[in-house]
Amino acid sequence: MPEGDTVHQAAKRLHRALAGEVLTCSDLRVPAYATADLTGRTVLDVTPRGKHLLTRVEGGLTLHSHLKMDGAWKIYAQGQRWSGGPGHQIRAILGTDDRTAVGYRLPVLELLRTADEHRAVGHLGPDLLGPDWNPGTALENLLRDPARPLGQALLDQRNLAGIGNVYKSELCFLLRVTPWLPVGALPDGHAARLPALAKRLLEANRDRPDRNTTGRREQNLFVYGRAPRPCLRCGTPVRAADQGDGARERPTYWCPFCQQGPAPAPGRADLRGVRRRTTD
């Protein structure tokens, strides 16, 4: 599931493959840009911004993409068989003499002037893995709506950029509160700890192939995806239920013993959350 750490890794791979190279192939397979041709332009850099990717090319243009849930950029050597999915899922192709970057299932793909990048990412809060990171601003953003459930506030990229559903569940577990606890009801000191803890988790995983929040080799995550297995801390069965983020329902995981605060009553919601994880 792409979150700030995995998007950072994708940007690093794209930058390594394309930056400083002249594009010999360009194919944007979305109706609005089907006739756009970047062939002959040099790729300047590939920069992550939260969960967004900005591929800048000479001439003042930026190719903006967002992976959402299922998108991916794959890098192939010349002559290597493409294996990221069927051809109808390809949304972008950027090729050089040595490498080809292929964007699969990209739900967001737009070509804009580099000077207008703010149209795509200007709404984002401080980036947990970016040079603009500011824990004070992130905390102010989170506390702006004290009645909002913590899980929703963490997923709102306008507050701080880079947290997705996995880190939301893991952060709430580490803070010992449920994702449904209002932000303003966080125990003393917990809110102040939150930005630094979030940054520490993403920093620790920015270069790891397998995300790990526990520090254990045998189990990478504390609660995410673990329902109804026992909590690693207390042994209570981990629960799962849906929690909206303002746009869609998302499966959320928590320990009903270790984490204090409001939560859905046990029932069918738990089963929906467990089933949906296979496709979310």
Side-chain angles (χ1 to χ4, degrees), residues 103-163:
Y104 290 91
R105 301 172 298 279
L106 300 175
V108 176
L109 186 72
E110 62 174 336
L111 188 64
L112 64 159
R113 291 171 53 85
T114 301
D116 294 332
E117 286 181 358
H118 63 277
R119 286 175 34 213
V121 297
H123 65 287
L124 298 176
D127 186 345
L128 282 152
L129 294 178
D132 69 315
W133 172 244
N134 186 313
T137 300
L139 183 58
E140 289 178 9
N141 293 344
L142 288 167
L143 295 176
R144 188 171 294 135
D145 185 354
R148 193 175 193 186
L150 177 59
Q152 289 186 12
L154 289 172
L155 289 179
D156 191 335
Q157 302 300 294
R158 296 171 298 181
N159 291 333
L160 66 172
I163 291 177

Tab-separated table of all heavy atoms in Angstrom, residues 103-163:
chain	number	residue	atom	x	y	z
A	103	GLY	N	4.227	3.469	-15.985
A	103	GLY	CA	3.281	3.736	-14.916
A	103	GLY	C	2.007	2.929	-15.091
A	103	GLY	O	1.299	3.095	-16.088
A	104	TYR	N	1.745	2.047	-14.152
A	104	TYR	CA	0.566	1.185	-14.203
A	104	TYR	C	-0.522	1.697	-13.253
A	104	TYR	O	-0.233	2.103	-12.122
A	104	TYR	CB	0.927	-0.242	-13.780
A	104	TYR	CG	1.793	-0.991	-14.756
A	104	TYR	CD1	3.180	-0.944	-14.659
A	104	TYR	CD2	1.231	-1.767	-15.766
A	104	TYR	CE1	3.990	-1.652	-15.550
A	104	TYR	CE2	2.025	-2.475	-16.661
A	104	TYR	CZ	3.405	-2.419	-16.544
A	104	TYR	OH	4.197	-3.111	-17.424
A	105	ARG	N	-1.757	1.652	-13.723
A	105	ARG	CA	-2.943	1.903	-12.887
A	105	ARG	C	-2.855	3.232	-12.146
A	105	ARG	O	-3.292	3.347	-11.000
A	105	ARG	CB	-3.138	0.759	-11.875
A	105	ARG	CG	-3.323	-0.603	-12.523
A	105	ARG	CD	-3.306	-1.722	-11.504
A	105	ARG	NE	-2.036	-1.796	-10.805
A	105	ARG	CZ	-0.944	-2.390	-11.294
A	105	ARG	NH1	-0.974	-2.973	-12.475
A	105	ARG	NH2	0.186	-2.406	-10.604
A	106	LEU	N	-2.276	4.243	-12.783
A	106	LEU	CA	-2.130	5.547	-12.142
A	106	LEU	C	-3.469	6.278	-12.175
A	106	LEU	O	-3.928	6.684	-13.241
A	106	LEU	CB	-1.061	6.379	-12.856
A	106	LEU	CG	0.349	5.782	-12.894
A	106	LEU	CD1	1.267	6.663	-13.736
A	106	LEU	CD2	0.912	5.606	-11.496
A	107	PRO	N	-4.106	6.485	-11.025
A	107	PRO	CA	-5.407	7.156	-11.019
A	107	PRO	C	-5.305	8.656	-11.244
A	107	PRO	O	-6.282	9.297	-11.615
A	107	PRO	CB	-5.962	6.840	-9.628
A	107	PRO	CG	-4.744	6.659	-8.785
A	107	PRO	CD	-3.706	6.055	-9.676
A	108	VAL	N	-4.109	9.206	-10.991
A	108	VAL	CA	-3.869	10.633	-11.205
A	108	VAL	C	-2.636	10.785	-12.082
A	108	VAL	O	-1.558	10.286	-11.729
A	108	VAL	CB	-3.652	11.389	-9.876
A	108	VAL	CG1	-3.306	12.854	-10.147
A	108	VAL	CG2	-4.891	11.288	-8.989
A	109	LEU	N	-2.795	11.421	-13.210
A	109	LEU	CA	-1.669	11.704	-14.101
A	109	LEU	C	-1.990	12.989	-14.844
A	109	LEU	O	-2.995	13.071	-15.560
A	109	LEU	CB	-1.450	10.561	-15.087
A	109	LEU	CG	-0.206	10.690	-15.969
A	109	LEU	CD1	1.062	10.455	-15.138
A	109	LEU	CD2	-0.254	9.701	-17.131
A	110	GLU	N	-1.153	13.993	-14.654
A	110	GLU	CA	-1.386	15.263	-15.335
A	110	GLU	C	-0.053	15.929	-15.658
A	110	GLU	O	0.933	15.793	-14.933
A	110	GLU	CB	-2.249	16.196	-14.488
A	110	GLU	CG	-1.641	16.607	-13.163
A	110	GLU	CD	-2.474	17.647	-12.440
A	110	GLU	OE1	-3.245	18.374	-13.100
A	110	GLU	OE2	-2.335	17.758	-11.202
A	111	LEU	N	-0.048	16.644	-16.767
A	111	LEU	CA	1.120	17.401	-17.197
A	111	LEU	C	0.825	18.870	-16.949
A	111	LEU	O	-0.184	19.403	-17.434
A	111	LEU	CB	1.383	17.145	-18.684
A	111	LEU	CG	2.675	17.720	-19.264
A	111	LEU	CD1	3.902	17.084	-18.619
A	111	LEU	CD2	2.702	17.500	-20.776
A	112	LEU	N	1.689	19.518	-16.181
A	112	LEU	CA	1.466	20.926	-15.858
A	112	LEU	C	2.781	21.683	-15.889
A	112	LEU	O	3.862	21.081	-15.902
A	112	LEU	CB	0.803	21.069	-14.494
A	112	LEU	CG	1.560	20.608	-13.236
A	112	LEU	CD1	0.986	21.288	-12.001
A	112	LEU	CD2	1.475	19.109	-13.041
A	113	ARG	N	2.687	22.969	-15.898
A	113	ARG	CA	3.883	23.799	-15.833
A	113	ARG	C	4.502	23.647	-14.450
A	113	ARG	O	3.793	23.595	-13.434
A	113	ARG	CB	3.522	25.269	-16.085
A	113	ARG	CG	3.095	25.577	-17.505
A	113	ARG	CD	2.552	27.000	-17.615
A	113	ARG	NE	3.484	27.970	-17.080
A	113	ARG	CZ	4.506	28.512	-17.769
A	113	ARG	NH1	4.688	28.160	-19.027
A	113	ARG	NH2	5.299	29.395	-17.209
A	114	THR	N	5.820	23.563	-14.412
A	114	THR	CA	6.510	23.425	-13.129
A	114	THR	C	6.168	24.584	-12.201
A	114	THR	O	6.032	24.403	-10.987
A	114	THR	CB	8.035	23.345	-13.356
A	114	THR	OG1	8.317	22.221	-14.207
A	114	THR	CG2	8.776	23.181	-12.044
A	115	ALA	N	5.988	25.749	-12.769
A	115	ALA	CA	5.615	26.917	-11.970
A	115	ALA	C	4.237	26.780	-11.350
A	115	ALA	O	3.898	27.521	-10.416
A	115	ALA	CB	5.677	28.176	-12.837
A	116	ASP	N	3.444	25.824	-11.846
A	116	ASP	CA	2.083	25.632	-11.344
A	116	ASP	C	1.941	24.376	-10.490
A	116	ASP	O	0.827	23.890	-10.272
A	116	ASP	CB	1.095	25.554	-12.516
A	116	ASP	CG	0.996	26.861	-13.276
A	116	ASP	OD1	1.224	27.923	-12.665
A	116	ASP	OD2	0.697	26.817	-14.482
A	117	GLU	N	3.058	23.840	-10.000
A	117	GLU	CA	2.980	22.629	-9.185
A	117	GLU	C	2.105	22.811	-7.952
A	117	GLU	O	1.530	21.837	-7.434
A	117	GLU	CB	4.380	22.190	-8.752
A	117	GLU	CG	5.203	21.566	-9.848
A	117	GLU	CD	6.580	21.132	-9.373
A	117	GLU	OE1	6.908	21.356	-8.179
A	117	GLU	OE2	7.340	20.576	-10.193
A	118	HIS	N	1.991	24.041	-7.494
A	118	HIS	CA	1.161	24.291	-6.314
A	118	HIS	C	-0.286	23.892	-6.545
A	118	HIS	O	-1.010	23.600	-5.583
A	118	HIS	CB	1.236	25.774	-5.928
A	118	HIS	CG	0.696	26.709	-6.976
A	118	HIS	ND1	1.464	27.130	-8.045
A	118	HIS	CD2	-0.530	27.274	-7.123
A	118	HIS	CE1	0.724	27.931	-8.806
A	118	HIS	NE2	-0.478	28.023	-8.270
A	119	ARG	N	-0.715	23.858	-7.787
A	119	ARG	CA	-2.078	23.420	-8.083
A	119	ARG	C	-2.289	21.964	-7.680
A	119	ARG	O	-3.396	21.559	-7.320
A	119	ARG	CB	-2.370	23.572	-9.574
A	119	ARG	CG	-2.572	25.005	-10.051
A	119	ARG	CD	-2.737	25.059	-11.559
A	119	ARG	NE	-3.433	23.891	-12.065
A	119	ARG	CZ	-3.198	23.342	-13.261
A	119	ARG	NH1	-2.277	23.849	-14.061
A	119	ARG	NH2	-3.888	22.279	-13.658
A	120	ALA	N	-1.218	21.174	-7.746
A	120	ALA	CA	-1.319	19.746	-7.446
A	120	ALA	C	-0.978	19.420	-6.002
A	120	ALA	O	-1.574	18.513	-5.414
A	120	ALA	CB	-0.400	18.953	-8.379
A	121	VAL	N	-0.013	20.152	-5.422
A	121	VAL	CA	0.471	19.771	-4.088
A	121	VAL	C	0.470	20.919	-3.090
A	121	VAL	O	0.895	20.745	-1.944
A	121	VAL	CB	1.898	19.166	-4.185
A	121	VAL	CG1	1.887	17.887	-5.000
A	121	VAL	CG2	2.889	20.175	-4.771
A	122	GLY	N	-0.020	22.073	-3.492
A	122	GLY	CA	0.010	23.226	-2.598
A	122	GLY	C	-0.877	23.086	-1.380
A	122	GLY	O	-0.682	23.795	-0.383
A	123	HIS	N	-1.851	22.188	-1.429
A	123	HIS	CA	-2.762	22.009	-0.301
A	123	HIS	C	-2.173	21.135	0.800
A	123	HIS	O	-2.729	21.054	1.896
A	123	HIS	CB	-4.057	21.362	-0.795
A	123	HIS	CG	-3.858	19.964	-1.307
A	123	HIS	ND1	-3.241	19.691	-2.516
A	123	HIS	CD2	-4.179	18.747	-0.774
A	123	HIS	CE1	-3.194	18.383	-2.707
A	123	HIS	NE2	-3.751	17.790	-1.660
A	124	LEU	N	-1.065	20.481	0.518
A	124	LEU	CA	-0.513	19.503	1.460
A	124	LEU	C	0.103	20.164	2.685
A	124	LEU	O	0.678	21.250	2.607
A	124	LEU	CB	0.551	18.646	0.769
A	124	LEU	CG	0.079	17.794	-0.409
A	124	LEU	CD1	1.262	17.090	-1.053
A	124	LEU	CD2	-0.974	16.797	0.028
A	125	GLY	N	-0.005	19.478	3.813
A	125	GLY	CA	0.679	19.918	5.017
A	125	GLY	C	2.147	19.560	4.959
A	125	GLY	O	2.636	19.061	3.935
A	126	PRO	N	2.893	19.784	6.035
A	126	PRO	CA	4.319	19.459	6.052
A	126	PRO	C	4.569	17.997	5.692
A	126	PRO	O	3.869	17.102	6.174
A	126	PRO	CB	4.732	19.755	7.495
A	126	PRO	CG	3.715	20.726	7.993
A	126	PRO	CD	2.433	20.362	7.312
A	127	ASP	N	5.562	17.764	4.841
A	127	ASP	CA	5.894	16.421	4.363
A	127	ASP	C	6.807	15.742	5.378
A	127	ASP	O	7.905	16.217	5.666
A	127	ASP	CB	6.588	16.532	3.008
A	127	ASP	CG	6.856	15.184	2.355
A	127	ASP	OD1	6.779	14.151	3.052
A	127	ASP	OD2	7.150	15.168	1.155
A	128	LEU	N	6.373	14.591	5.897
A	128	LEU	CA	7.147	13.879	6.910
A	128	LEU	C	8.543	13.500	6.436
A	128	LEU	O	9.461	13.378	7.250
A	128	LEU	CB	6.389	12.616	7.345
A	128	LEU	CG	5.228	12.869	8.316
A	128	LEU	CD1	4.167	11.809	8.181
A	128	LEU	CD2	5.764	12.945	9.735
A	129	LEU	N	8.721	13.318	5.132
A	129	LEU	CA	10.031	12.957	4.597
A	129	LEU	C	10.607	14.051	3.710
A	129	LEU	O	11.559	13.815	2.968
A	129	LEU	CB	9.936	11.646	3.799
A	129	LEU	CG	9.588	10.399	4.616
A	129	LEU	CD1	9.486	9.175	3.706
A	129	LEU	CD2	10.627	10.151	5.707
A	130	GLY	N	10.049	15.253	3.789
A	130	GLY	CA	10.490	16.325	2.914
A	130	GLY	C	11.251	17.415	3.628
A	130	GLY	O	11.280	17.488	4.865
A	131	PRO	N	11.881	18.300	2.872
A	131	PRO	CA	12.650	19.394	3.467
A	131	PRO	C	11.778	20.435	4.152
A	131	PRO	O	12.283	21.259	4.922
A	131	PRO	CB	13.385	20.005	2.259
A	131	PRO	CG	12.545	19.640	1.070
A	131	PRO	CD	11.959	18.304	1.397
A	132	ASP	N	10.470	20.395	3.896
A	132	ASP	CA	9.570	21.373	4.502
A	132	ASP	C	8.985	20.881	5.832
A	132	ASP	O	8.125	21.543	6.407
A	132	ASP	CB	8.420	21.692	3.545
A	132	ASP	CG	7.477	20.508	3.364
A	132	ASP	OD1	7.989	19.383	3.184
A	132	ASP	OD2	6.250	20.698	3.402
A	133	TRP	N	9.451	19.726	6.322
A	133	TRP	CA	8.861	19.162	7.536
A	133	TRP	C	8.951	20.145	8.697
A	133	TRP	O	10.007	20.706	8.980
A	133	TRP	CB	9.542	17.860	7.930
A	133	TRP	CG	9.109	17.343	9.268
A	133	TRP	CD1	9.871	17.189	10.387
A	133	TRP	CD2	7.782	16.932	9.639
A	133	TRP	NE1	9.120	16.700	11.420
A	133	TRP	CE2	7.833	16.541	11.003
A	133	TRP	CE3	6.562	16.867	8.962
A	133	TRP	CZ2	6.703	16.088	11.686
A	133	TRP	CZ3	5.448	16.413	9.636
A	133	TRP	CH2	5.524	16.030	10.981
A	134	ASN	N	7.823	20.356	9.356
A	134	ASN	CA	7.742	21.252	10.499
A	134	ASN	C	6.786	20.628	11.517
A	134	ASN	O	5.570	20.683	11.323
A	134	ASN	CB	7.247	22.635	10.058
A	134	ASN	CG	7.281	23.651	11.186
A	134	ASN	OD1	6.836	23.376	12.296
A	134	ASN	ND2	7.785	24.840	10.897
A	135	PRO	N	7.305	20.022	12.586
A	135	PRO	CA	6.426	19.342	13.544
A	135	PRO	C	5.444	20.274	14.225
A	135	PRO	O	4.319	19.875	14.538
A	135	PRO	CB	7.409	18.714	14.543
A	135	PRO	CG	8.671	19.509	14.398
A	135	PRO	CD	8.723	19.910	12.957
A	136	GLY	N	5.843	21.514	14.450
A	136	GLY	CA	4.944	22.471	15.081
A	136	GLY	C	3.733	22.766	14.217
A	136	GLY	O	2.598	22.795	14.705
A	137	THR	N	3.978	22.991	12.935
A	137	THR	CA	2.870	23.249	12.015
A	137	THR	C	1.974	22.031	11.892
A	137	THR	O	0.739	22.147	11.859
A	137	THR	CB	3.415	23.643	10.633
A	137	THR	OG1	4.210	24.835	10.756
A	137	THR	CG2	2.282	23.891	9.651
A	138	ALA	N	2.579	20.847	11.823
A	138	ALA	CA	1.796	19.616	11.731
A	138	ALA	C	0.887	19.466	12.945
A	138	ALA	O	-0.299	19.120	12.819
A	138	ALA	CB	2.723	18.414	11.601
A	139	LEU	N	1.419	19.740	14.131
A	139	LEU	CA	0.626	19.621	15.349
A	139	LEU	C	-0.509	20.650	15.365
A	139	LEU	O	-1.652	20.326	15.724
A	139	LEU	CB	1.512	19.792	16.575
A	139	LEU	CG	0.820	19.631	17.939
A	139	LEU	CD1	0.178	18.252	18.047
A	139	LEU	CD2	1.830	19.857	19.067
A	140	GLU	N	-0.211	21.872	14.969
A	140	GLU	CA	-1.259	22.904	14.893
A	140	GLU	C	-2.368	22.470	13.942
A	140	GLU	O	-3.567	22.652	14.232
A	140	GLU	CB	-0.652	24.221	14.418
A	140	GLU	CG	0.240	24.913	15.441
A	140	GLU	CD	0.837	26.187	14.880
A	140	GLU	OE1	0.417	26.602	13.772
A	140	GLU	OE2	1.721	26.758	15.534
A	141	ASN	N	-1.998	21.897	12.804
A	141	ASN	CA	-2.994	21.444	11.842
A	141	ASN	C	-3.882	20.354	12.431
A	141	ASN	O	-5.104	20.358	12.263
A	141	ASN	CB	-2.306	20.927	10.575
A	141	ASN	CG	-1.605	22.020	9.793
A	141	ASN	OD1	-1.838	23.204	10.001
A	141	ASN	ND2	-0.722	21.617	8.888
A	142	LEU	N	-3.264	19.396	13.114
A	142	LEU	CA	-4.018	18.286	13.687
A	142	LEU	C	-5.000	18.753	14.754
A	142	LEU	O	-6.113	18.235	14.876
A	142	LEU	CB	-3.055	17.250	14.282
A	142	LEU	CG	-2.259	16.408	13.290
A	142	LEU	CD1	-1.134	15.664	14.004
A	142	LEU	CD2	-3.177	15.407	12.579
A	143	LEU	N	-4.580	19.746	15.532
A	143	LEU	CA	-5.400	20.218	16.650
A	143	LEU	C	-6.439	21.258	16.239
A	143	LEU	O	-7.239	21.678	17.070
A	143	LEU	CB	-4.502	20.805	17.744
A	143	LEU	CG	-3.545	19.823	18.433
A	143	LEU	CD1	-2.648	20.557	19.417
A	143	LEU	CD2	-4.325	18.717	19.133
A	144	ARG	N	-6.431	21.626	14.973
A	144	ARG	CA	-7.343	22.677	14.516
A	144	ARG	C	-8.805	22.260	14.654
A	144	ARG	O	-9.681	23.091	14.876
A	144	ARG	CB	-7.023	23.030	13.063
A	144	ARG	CG	-7.783	24.240	12.543
A	144	ARG	CD	-7.255	24.668	11.192
A	144	ARG	NE	-5.882	25.160	11.305
A	144	ARG	CZ	-4.895	24.823	10.477
A	144	ARG	NH1	-5.117	23.968	9.494
A	144	ARG	NH2	-3.689	25.321	10.643
A	145	ASP	N	-9.067	20.971	14.529
A	145	ASP	CA	-10.436	20.452	14.685
A	145	ASP	C	-10.402	19.419	15.808
A	145	ASP	O	-10.277	18.219	15.551
A	145	ASP	CB	-10.914	19.822	13.377
A	145	ASP	CG	-12.369	19.381	13.441
A	145	ASP	OD1	-12.968	19.471	14.530
A	145	ASP	OD2	-12.897	18.933	12.400
A	146	PRO	N	-10.507	19.833	17.056
A	146	PRO	CA	-10.334	18.917	18.189
A	146	PRO	C	-11.386	17.821	18.272
A	146	PRO	O	-11.158	16.801	18.941
A	146	PRO	CB	-10.400	19.846	19.409
A	146	PRO	CG	-11.112	21.064	18.934
A	146	PRO	CD	-10.761	21.221	17.496
A	147	ALA	N	-12.527	17.996	17.623
A	147	ALA	CA	-13.581	16.983	17.684
A	147	ALA	C	-13.391	15.877	16.641
A	147	ALA	O	-14.097	14.866	16.678
A	147	ALA	CB	-14.948	17.639	17.501
A	148	ARG	N	-12.454	16.062	15.745
A	148	ARG	CA	-12.287	15.095	14.663
A	148	ARG	C	-11.608	13.827	15.181
A	148	ARG	O	-10.628	13.900	15.933
A	148	ARG	CB	-11.443	15.704	13.547
A	148	ARG	CG	-11.465	14.910	12.259
A	148	ARG	CD	-10.708	15.622	11.164
A	148	ARG	NE	-10.976	15.030	9.881
A	148	ARG	CZ	-10.358	15.374	8.737
A	148	ARG	NH1	-9.468	16.358	8.753
A	148	ARG	NH2	-10.663	14.768	7.613
A	149	PRO	N	-12.065	12.631	14.770
A	149	PRO	CA	-11.388	11.397	15.167
A	149	PRO	C	-9.935	11.399	14.709
A	149	PRO	O	-9.620	11.834	13.594
A	149	PRO	CB	-12.199	10.306	14.465
A	149	PRO	CG	-13.553	10.901	14.275
A	149	PRO	CD	-13.304	12.364	14.009
A	150	LEU	N	-9.059	10.897	15.559
A	150	LEU	CA	-7.628	10.936	15.275
A	150	LEU	C	-7.297	10.244	13.963
A	150	LEU	O	-6.471	10.740	13.184
A	150	LEU	CB	-6.857	10.280	16.424
A	150	LEU	CG	-5.343	10.170	16.257
A	150	LEU	CD1	-4.714	11.537	16.078
A	150	LEU	CD2	-4.739	9.435	17.449
A	151	GLY	N	-7.904	9.089	13.687
A	151	GLY	CA	-7.608	8.374	12.451
A	151	GLY	C	-7.889	9.202	11.220
A	151	GLY	O	-7.100	9.221	10.270
A	152	GLN	N	-9.017	9.906	11.217
A	152	GLN	CA	-9.338	10.772	10.079
A	152	GLN	C	-8.351	11.921	9.952
A	152	GLN	O	-7.939	12.291	8.853
A	152	GLN	CB	-10.761	11.314	10.226
A	152	GLN	CG	-11.860	10.297	10.034
A	152	GLN	CD	-13.227	10.943	10.058
A	152	GLN	OE1	-13.359	12.163	9.994
A	152	GLN	NE2	-14.261	10.131	10.153
A	153	ALA	N	-7.984	12.503	11.089
A	153	ALA	CA	-7.050	13.635	11.064
A	153	ALA	C	-5.691	13.227	10.521
A	153	ALA	O	-5.040	13.985	9.797
A	153	ALA	CB	-6.910	14.219	12.468
A	154	LEU	N	-5.249	12.016	10.853
A	154	LEU	CA	-3.949	11.545	10.379
A	154	LEU	C	-3.952	11.280	8.875
A	154	LEU	O	-2.936	11.480	8.201
A	154	LEU	CB	-3.544	10.274	11.121
A	154	LEU	CG	-3.154	10.447	12.588
A	154	LEU	CD1	-2.963	9.090	13.250
A	154	LEU	CD2	-1.878	11.282	12.722
A	155	LEU	N	-5.079	10.835	8.352
A	155	LEU	CA	-5.168	10.561	6.918
A	155	LEU	C	-5.334	11.818	6.078
A	155	LEU	O	-5.110	11.780	4.867
A	155	LEU	CB	-6.334	9.617	6.632
A	155	LEU	CG	-6.169	8.165	7.088
A	155	LEU	CD1	-7.431	7.370	6.758
A	155	LEU	CD2	-4.955	7.519	6.436
A	156	ASP	N	-5.717	12.909	6.692
A	156	ASP	CA	-5.926	14.160	5.969
A	156	ASP	C	-4.567	14.758	5.614
A	156	ASP	O	-3.851	15.282	6.474
A	156	ASP	CB	-6.731	15.132	6.838
A	156	ASP	CG	-7.209	16.343	6.056
A	156	ASP	OD1	-6.583	16.702	5.039
A	156	ASP	OD2	-8.212	16.956	6.477
A	157	GLN	N	-4.218	14.698	4.339
A	157	GLN	CA	-2.898	15.149	3.891
A	157	GLN	C	-2.707	16.654	4.037
A	157	GLN	O	-1.587	17.155	3.935
A	157	GLN	CB	-2.673	14.727	2.442
A	157	GLN	CG	-2.783	13.225	2.218
A	157	GLN	CD	-1.781	12.432	3.027
A	157	GLN	OE1	-0.575	12.535	2.809
A	157	GLN	NE2	-2.260	11.625	3.978
A	158	ARG	N	-3.775	17.387	4.301
A	158	ARG	CA	-3.649	18.824	4.551
A	158	ARG	C	-3.043	19.092	5.926
A	158	ARG	O	-2.513	20.179	6.171
A	158	ARG	CB	-5.013	19.500	4.442
A	158	ARG	CG	-5.638	19.443	3.055
A	158	ARG	CD	-7.071	19.922	3.067
A	158	ARG	NE	-7.915	19.061	3.926
A	158	ARG	CZ	-9.215	19.249	4.094
A	158	ARG	NH1	-9.811	20.255	3.478
A	158	ARG	NH2	-9.902	18.435	4.880
A	159	ASN	N	-3.119	18.109	6.816
A	159	ASN	CA	-2.530	18.261	8.148
A	159	ASN	C	-1.044	17.945	8.141
A	159	ASN	O	-0.219	18.727	8.614
A	159	ASN	CB	-3.260	17.350	9.145
A	159	ASN	CG	-4.676	17.817	9.407
A	159	ASN	OD1	-4.978	18.998	9.294
A	159	ASN	ND2	-5.557	16.893	9.749
A	160	LEU	N	-0.706	16.774	7.635
A	160	LEU	CA	0.686	16.366	7.441
A	160	LEU	C	0.669	15.325	6.347
A	160	LEU	O	-0.271	14.537	6.242
A	160	LEU	CB	1.333	15.839	8.723
A	160	LEU	CG	0.855	14.541	9.372
A	160	LEU	CD1	1.807	14.154	10.505
A	160	LEU	CD2	-0.552	14.629	9.906
A	161	ALA	N	1.682	15.349	5.495
A	161	ALA	CA	1.657	14.560	4.268
A	161	ALA	C	2.520	13.313	4.389
A	161	ALA	O	3.684	13.390	4.789
A	161	ALA	CB	2.132	15.411	3.089
A	162	GLY	N	1.921	12.175	4.042
A	162	GLY	CA	2.687	10.935	3.980
A	162	GLY	C	2.086	9.763	4.717
A	162	GLY	O	2.486	8.623	4.502
A	163	ILE	N	1.113	10.010	5.602
A	163	ILE	CA	0.521	8.924	6.377
A	163	ILE	C	-0.644	8.317	5.617
A	163	ILE	O	-1.507	9.020	5.099
A	163	ILE	CB	0.047	9.430	7.754
A	163	ILE	CG1	1.242	9.800	8.615
A	163	ILE	CG2	-0.806	8.375	8.467
A	163	ILE	CD1	0.867	10.375	9.964
